[in-house]
């Protein structure tokens, strides 16, 4: 039901946010409100290296099957959706960004 979907949505988004803070704090940062009531399941992630690197990182994610949204000048939006995303998908996103960061 909706209660369980919303609970999973909050958990997925919090997990993705925690992974990003723990593993990618020097690469990207969340500019989305911390309070779950203010953000839904979407995170806006500012690429700290700026637009050019951010756009490349976004294209890297797309090439690896990770669908997000690009917002000028330097923000990638990701939405772990409870109907079809798993916690392992959040982990995969973070690993993909780390892989890209290590290559560049």
């Amino acid at each position: 039901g909706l209660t369980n979907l919303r609970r999973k949505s909050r958990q997925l988004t919090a997990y993705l946010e925690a992974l990003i803070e723990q593993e990618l704090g020097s690469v990207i940062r969340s500019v989305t409100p911390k309070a779950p009531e203010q953000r839904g399941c979407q995170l806006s992630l500012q690429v700290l290296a700026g637009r050019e690197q951010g756009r490349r990182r976004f294209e890297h994610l797309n090439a690896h099957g990770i669908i997000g949204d690009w917002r000028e000048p330097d923000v990638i939006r990701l939405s772990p959706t409870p109907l079809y995303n798993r916690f392992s998908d959040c982990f995969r996103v973070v690993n993909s960004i780390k892989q890209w960061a290590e290559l560049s």
Side-chain angles (χ1 to χ4, degrees):
L2 286 177
T3 301
N4 288 335
L5 284 174
R6 184 61 184 137
R7 182 179 322 117
K8 183 179 177 186
S9 174
R10 285 181 178 209
Q11 291 171 345
L12 278 170
T13 307
Y15 180 62
L16 179 58
E17 183 178 48
L19 283 175
I20 287 168
E21 288 175 359
Q22 180 180 355
E23 301 291 327
L24 300 170
S26 64
V27 178
I28 60 176
R29 70 179 175 109
S30 176
V31 293
T32 305
K34 288 265 189 208
E37 304 81 35
Q38 295 179 342
R39 69 176 177 204
C41 67
Q42 180 247 289
L43 292 177
S44 293
L45 307 169
Q46 182 181 31
V47 179
L48 300 178
R51 186 202 182 283
E52 184 178 318
Q53 292 294 321
R55 188 65 196 186
R56 282 196 211 133
R57 191 158 289 140
F58 175 72
E59 291 168 3
H60 171 84
L61 292 174
N62 282 332
H64 288 86
I66 298 166
I67 306 302
D69 184 21
W70 174 255
R71 296 291 175 181
E72 293 291 345
D74 56 5
V75 173
I76 297 170
R77 294 191 321 173
L78 298 174
S79 300
T81 307
L83 283 174
Y84 51 84
N85 288 124
R86 302 174 307 233
F87 292 94
S88 61
D89 295 321
C90 296
F91 189 75
R92 186 172 150 245
V93 167
V94 170
N95 279 337
S96 184
I97 294 171
K98 282 173 67 173
Q99 177 187 41
W100 187 92
E102 291 168 0
L103 294 174
S104 50

